[in-house]
Each structure stands twice: as C-alpha cells, then as structure tokens.
C-alpha cells in the first residue's frame, strides 16, 4: 500500500477524521512522503505544465511588466525581486534574460530572493540561475525578505495551499472531513461549522450537498504579502486559476501524469489543488494595507502586453513547424477552449499606496468585491 496512505489511515483511526485542508497539507508537504518533497512535478515529464513551461513568451512579457512597475515605483536601487514557489525557476530565468536586454539597470538593482522550502527544488533552481549566483538568495518565507522596496511574483501558488470544505447538510454548513472505511479513505461530514457571514450570497437556498471552499491559509499569505508591500513599497503580481468572485462548488482535484485521478488514489504522488477565490484574496490584501486592482484574465494580461506581436516576431523567418508550435503556445496561454488558460487563469495586482501599476491593470478597487 502507498506508504503515506498507510500513515493517514493510522492517524485517522487513532485521532479521528482529518479536515480536507489537513489531508492536502499532508499529501503535498509531508517531510518524507509529501508531493513537493519527493517529486519533480513540472513540465512534460512531470504531472502538470505551467505557463512558463509552455512558452518563453510568458516570462518575456512578465519581465517587461516588471520593468515598468519598477519605473513606476521610482526605480529603487537596490530593490527586492522575489518569486514565491519558483518551481524549476523557468519563469525567473526568462524574466532575467529579457530584463537584462530591456533594462540592464533593473537587473543591476535587483536583489533576487526566491521563497522555497524544498531542498530538491532549490538545487534545480540554483542550476537554472547559475548565471546569477551572486545575486540570488533563498529564504523560507516572507519574513526572510530584506527591508527593501519589493516586486513580488507568484504563478500557481495559491491553488496549492490547502483549503477546507463545508457541505450544506440539513440546512447547515458542516465541515467535510476525511474518514477511513474498510482500509480506504473516504469523505465524511464532521461537526465543525462555518460563520455564515463568510458564505457568498449564492449560499442562500443552496441545494443539499452543495460545497463551499474556504482557504484561510491563502488569505493569510495574501495579507502577509500585502503587509510587506505596504510597509516597504512596491507591487505584487499573482497569476493563478480560479474565480473573480466568491462562489459555491467543489473544485478539488488530483492530477498525475497530466490527468485527473481519484482524490484518494495516491496520496503524496499526485498534485492536489482547488480553484482560487480571488475576491477573498483581494479582501485579505486590503486588510494587509495594500492597494488592490481589479482582477483580469490571463488572456487580457498577456494580450494587452503584446503576446500576439511577440509571437509574430518570434516566429518570423522560422520553419512551419516552429511557427505552428508558437501559435499553439499562444492559444494555450490565452485561448478559452478546453485545456486552455486564457479565461480560467486570472492576474491580480496589488501595490503600496501611491504606486500605479503598468497596464493592463486599471484603477484601484473601491470595495471588497472583484469587478
């Protein structure tokens, strides 16, 4: 039997059911059997492909946005350029390569900090960024960042942080838990409840069995990042998949080898995620003291930054196969069809007071709701 599954079954029999959040945390971050501590999940040979893996254009356009954000902040020198959850460092590698050409002074002023806890991933990141060895530091969390103006980025970070689930049961919203039955893990209903003020308006009259997901760990991290940005000046860019407004629905999924599988099939061997509630992140960021801008789709973010134009330049004079690959990458990044990221993925920007982020983000939000 899967070794982590054995441990989880034993724990449940000994101490009682687990929350969905605790189960996710064990599967993803267990020191010995956790997904991120034992697997290389990224890329074609892994379990999922992120936007930086799809095309260098994602990092190139982000780099240009960051340079403009740095200029909007007054070209601080030095400043902290930070990525949380950098994976294989593909995104940061493309950003630095592009920024070095577009604005060498930006790279010269940057003190690069990567927030990463996995020793295995840190080794991969060091190899990818070997040209910048003297400029990169690794820290475990936000508290490890220097007291400098900060530009912070994160791609597919929040979706991997654990979420709790609550089920409408007999007119009450009760926490969903993980129990054991016949040597298998199953969903059950616990005794915990949720403050009804936390529920979205759509919860009124919801059908029996409807699920609501609440990820306090995501909100806490968003608030912590916002507090750092507010205190030290700068901006943060989050790109992830999810919904602009809080809503109901079960979005938990397990992905292995680029396919969805049963949530309990292989603990520690599959990526576990759920959709991000950007409205909740916005409220948390405001609580942290940052200015929040309306959430936009990844398609709008990339297209307005010049994705089509960059694709054209990249494919100019290339053979047909290369041009088709570039076109496929554009569709994957900005399209709206099955398996495409354009609408499903969102981009969110927060800044310190008085800093206007570069396009395509508009005017700051006046309320707690995403537009």
């Amino acid at each position: 039997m899967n070794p982590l599954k054995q441990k989880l079954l034993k724990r449940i029999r000994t101490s009682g059911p687990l929350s969905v959040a605790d189960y996710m945390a064990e599967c993803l971050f267990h020191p010995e059997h956790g997904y991120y501590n034992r697997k290389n999940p990224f890329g074609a040979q892994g379990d999922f492909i992120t936007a930086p893996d799809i095309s260098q254009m994602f990092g190139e356009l982000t780099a240009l946005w960051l340079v403009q954000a740095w200029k909007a902040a007054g070209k601080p020198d030095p400043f902290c350029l930070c990525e949380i959850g950098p994976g294989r460092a593909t995104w940061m590698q493309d950003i630095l390569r592009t920024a070095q050409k577009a604005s060498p002074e930006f790279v010269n002023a940057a003190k690069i900090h990567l927030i990463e806890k996995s020793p295995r991933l840190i080794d991969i990141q060091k190899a990818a960024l070997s040209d910048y060895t003297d400029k990169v530091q690794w820290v475990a969390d936000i508290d490890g960042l220097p007291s400098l103006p900060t530009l912070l980025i994160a791609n597919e970070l929040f979706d991997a942080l654990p979420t709790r689930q609550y089920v409408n049961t007999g007119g009450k919203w009760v926490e969903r838990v993980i129990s054991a039955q016949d040597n298998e893990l199953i969903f059950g209903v616990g005794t915990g409840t949720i403050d009804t003020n936390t529920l979205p308006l759509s919860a009124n009259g919801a059908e029996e069995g409807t699920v609501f997901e609440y990820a306090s760990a995501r909100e806490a991290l968003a608030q912590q990042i916002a507090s750092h940005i507010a205190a030290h000046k700068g901006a943060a860019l989050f790109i992830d998949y999810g919904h602009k407004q809080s809503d109901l629905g079960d979005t938990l999924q397990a992905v292995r080898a680029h396919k969805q599988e049963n949530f309990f099939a292989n603990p520690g061997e599959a990526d576990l995620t759920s959709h991000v509630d950007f409205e909740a992140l916005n409220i948390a960021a405001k609580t942290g003291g940052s200015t929040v801008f309306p959430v936009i789709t990844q398609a709008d973010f990339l297209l307005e930054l010049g994705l089509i134009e960059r694709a054209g330049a990249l494919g100019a004079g290339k053979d047909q196969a290369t041009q088709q690959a570039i076109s496929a990458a554009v569709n994957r990044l900005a399209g709206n069809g099955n398996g495409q990221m354009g609408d499903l993925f969102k981009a969110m920007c927060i800044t310190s007071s008085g800093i206007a982020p570069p396009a395509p983000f508009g005017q700051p939000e006046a309320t707690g709701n995403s537009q």
Side-chain angles (χ1 to χ4, degrees):
M1 181 188 290
N2 175 295
L4 183 55
K5 187 173 184 178
Q6 284 184 310
K7 290 179 178 293
L8 292 171
L9 287 169
K10 182 178 180 181
R11 176 176 169 181
I12 290 169
R13 293 187 185 107
T14 303
S15 306
L18 297 173
S19 68
V20 172
D22 285 343
Y23 176 79
M24 289 183 69
E26 287 292 293
C27 291
L28 295 174
F29 307 114
H30 187 280
E32 181 181 1
H33 303 294
Y35 181 73
Y36 285 106
N37 289 321
R38 59 181 297 274
K39 292 199 69 175
N40 184 7
F42 309 100
Q45 303 304 314
D47 295 314
F48 57 86
I49 295 178
T50 63
D53 297 315
I54 292 169
S55 173
Q56 66 189 63
M57 295 183 289
F58 185 80
E60 291 170 344
L61 296 174
T62 308
L64 299 180
W65 187 90
L66 285 167
V67 170
Q68 292 304 313
W70 177 65
K71 292 177 178 178
K75 295 185 177 181
D77 184 0
F79 76 100
C80 174
L81 175 60
C82 173
E83 182 179 0
I84 308 182
R88 298 186 301 181
T90 303
W91 197 20
M92 184 60 73
Q93 192 177 39
D94 288 339
I95 286 170
L96 294 174
R97 173 179 50 78
T98 305
Q100 186 66 56
K101 296 176 181 178
S103 178
E105 57 183 351
F106 170 91
V107 178
N108 291 338
K111 302 289 185 183
I112 303 164
H113 286 69
L114 303 184
I115 297 181
E116 179 63 70
K117 294 183 179 180
S118 167
R120 182 184 51 76
L121 287 176
I122 288 174
D123 287 341
I124 294 173
Q125 293 155 15
K126 286 181 176 179
L129 300 175
S130 58
D131 290 343
Y132 304 92
T133 301
D134 59 335
K135 294 185 67 68
V136 185
Q137 295 185 47
W138 279 262
V139 295
D141 50 38
I142 298 293
D143 292 336
L145 297 180
S147 298
L148 293 173
T150 300
L151 294 179
L152 184 148
I153 57 174
N155 180 56
E156 293 198 48
L157 167 70
F158 290 98
D159 66 87
L161 296 182
T163 183
R164 290 180 179 269
Q165 287 192 324
Y166 295 86
V167 183
N168 186 15
T169 306
K172 295 182 179 180
W173 291 88
V174 185
E175 184 162 21
R176 199 180 196 186
V177 296
I178 313 299
S179 300
Q181 184 181 72
D182 298 330
N183 223 29
E184 293 294 337
L185 297 165
I186 61 168
F187 283 117
V189 176
T191 57
T193 57
I194 188 170
D195 184 346
T196 55
N197 291 322
T198 306
L199 298 168
L201 292 177
S202 54
N204 295 328
E207 294 181 1
E208 181 84 3
T210 301
V211 171
F212 173 65
E213 296 173 344
Y214 179 64
S216 58
R218 297 173 186 173
E219 294 181 26
L221 179 57
Q223 184 173 337
Q224 187 182 20
I225 293 170
S227 295
H228 182 89
I229 295 295
H232 301 293
K233 307 300 182 185
L237 173 69
F238 309 134
I239 299 178
D240 221 315
Y241 59 87
H243 36 272
K244 291 184 179 181
Q245 295 180 308
S246 298
D247 207 350
L248 304 174
D250 179 1
T251 70
L252 281 179
Q253 61 177 348
V255 176
R256 189 166 69 143
H258 305 278
K259 296 180 180 179
Q260 289 193 29
E261 68 175 27
N262 183 282
F263 193 65
F264 299 124
N266 297 285
E269 297 178 20
D271 182 38
L272 304 184
T273 68
S274 68
H275 288 202
V276 175
D277 180 347
F278 279 94
E279 182 177 350
L281 292 192
N282 278 358
I283 294 171
K286 289 176 183 176
T287 302
S290 283
T291 302
V292 177
F293 293 79
V295 172
I296 61 177
T297 65
Q298 178 172 293
D300 286 342
F301 178 73
L302 294 176
L303 291 172
E304 292 197 36
L305 287 174
L307 176 63
I308 301 300
E309 294 78 5
R310 178 55 185 149
L314 202 59
K318 301 291 173 55
D319 59 76
Q320 185 176 6
T322 300
Q323 291 180 347
Q324 288 177 342
I326 293 171
S327 178
V330 169
N331 289 332
R332 182 80 182 274
L333 290 170
N336 302 325
N338 185 37
Q340 297 176 333
M341 297 177 167
D343 274 355
L344 176 60
F345 279 69
K346 310 297 189 298
M348 172 181 168
C349 177
I350 65 174
T351 70
S352 54
S353 178
I355 294 181
F361 294 100
Q363 296 300 309
E365 290 187 356
T367 69
N369 294 328
S370 300
Q371 302 298 316

